[in-house]
């Protein structure tokens, strides 16, 4: 609605609209970058959520900057919080592919992807996602690190969801 109102009020032609959109994306990148905690973590607040939603809608499927990935991650978390696991997964999956897989904040993204896949009933996809994460977590963090244990717990739950108790119980 804000974009429609702005277009009507400004009477933009196509070139002006492209220029205005790019200016908005630039400002949102700057604004989000100033609020990042770590490389990809944007705290959840109403203002941050609106900024993330705007950036994702203005600059879809763009993962060129940490601000793009942080906005995508926050927007996906908000979708999942509203039990919209499929759009959250579709949004976050390509973003993860643009990050170093062993980054601590990316571990969280990957864990949530596995959980959301399982919540959708995509149990085999969840198992594959969580197995890869468990392997990386054990190698990078060690077998007794809390994040490794959390990943293995979620992998066990995915195996349980698939009815494979023989693989769930040892985890």
């Amino acid at each position: 609605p804000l974009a429609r109102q702005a277009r009507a009020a400004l009477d933009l032609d196509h070139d002006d609209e492209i220029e205005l959109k790019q200016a908005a994306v630039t400002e949102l990148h700057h604004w989000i970058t100033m609020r990042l905690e770590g490389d990809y973590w944007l705290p959840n607040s109403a203002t941050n959520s609106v900024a993330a939603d705007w950036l994702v809608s203005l600059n879809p499927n763009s993962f060129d900057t940490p601000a793009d990935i942080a906005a995508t991650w926050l927007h996906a978390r908000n979708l999942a919080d509203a039990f919209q696991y499929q759009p959250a997964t579709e949004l976050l999956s390509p973003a993860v592919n643009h990050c170093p897989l062993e980054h601590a904040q990316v571990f969280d993204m990957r864990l949530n992807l596995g959980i959301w896949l399982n919540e959708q009933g995509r149990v085999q996809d969840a198992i594959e996602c969580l197995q890869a994460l468990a392997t990386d977590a054990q190698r990078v963090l060690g077998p007794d690190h809390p994040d490794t244990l959390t990943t293995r717990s979620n992998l066990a739950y995915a195996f349980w969801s698939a009815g494979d108790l023989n693989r769930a119980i040892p985890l």
Side-chain angles (χ1 to χ4, degrees):
L2 181 60
R4 281 194 304 274
Q5 183 65 30
R7 280 188 201 99
L10 297 172
D11 190 29
L12 298 173
D13 65 23
H14 182 70
D15 290 339
D16 288 339
E17 189 170 331
I18 291 171
E19 187 177 330
L20 184 60
K21 177 182 170 186
Q22 188 53 49
V25 166
T26 299
E27 287 302 313
L28 285 166
H29 276 146
H30 176 71
W31 193 90
I32 289 171
T33 298
M34 299 305 295
R35 285 154 182 82
L36 288 179
E37 293 180 6
D39 292 329
Y40 307 118
W41 183 260
L42 185 61
N44 196 353
S45 70
T47 306
N48 288 348
S49 292
V50 168
D53 185 34
W54 282 352
L55 183 57
V56 169
S57 66
L58 286 170
N59 208 21
N61 300 313
S62 177
F63 311 109
D64 299 328
T65 69
D68 290 317
I69 294 167
T72 300
W73 177 211
L74 177 55
H75 189 56
R77 291 190 334 253
N78 288 337
L79 288 168
D81 287 347
F83 306 104
Q84 296 180 28
Y85 299 113
Q86 182 176 350
T89 302
E90 290 171 359
L91 187 64
L92 190 58
S93 290
V96 168
N97 293 331
H98 288 82
C99 300
L101 293 181
E102 296 175 357
H103 189 288
Q105 292 171 339
V106 178
F107 276 124
D108 290 339
M109 291 181 209
R110 294 171 65 196
L111 177 63
N112 278 274
L113 279 174
I115 292 168
W116 300 342
L117 287 165
N118 201 42
E119 289 294 328
Q120 293 173 61
R122 296 174 54 190
V123 178
Q124 192 55 46
D125 292 335
I127 289 170
E128 290 172 14
C129 177
L130 292 168
Q131 279 181 319
L133 178 58
T135 299
D136 290 344
Q138 185 161 329
R139 181 175 42 79
V140 173
L141 303 173
D144 298 325
H145 189 279
D147 291 346
T148 304
L149 298 174
T150 299
T151 300
R152 289 198 337 238
S153 172
N154 282 283
L155 178 57
Y157 181 72
F159 280 129
W160 176 82
S161 296
D164 191 347
L165 297 180
N166 290 331
R167 293 176 78 184
I169 290 171
L171 290 170

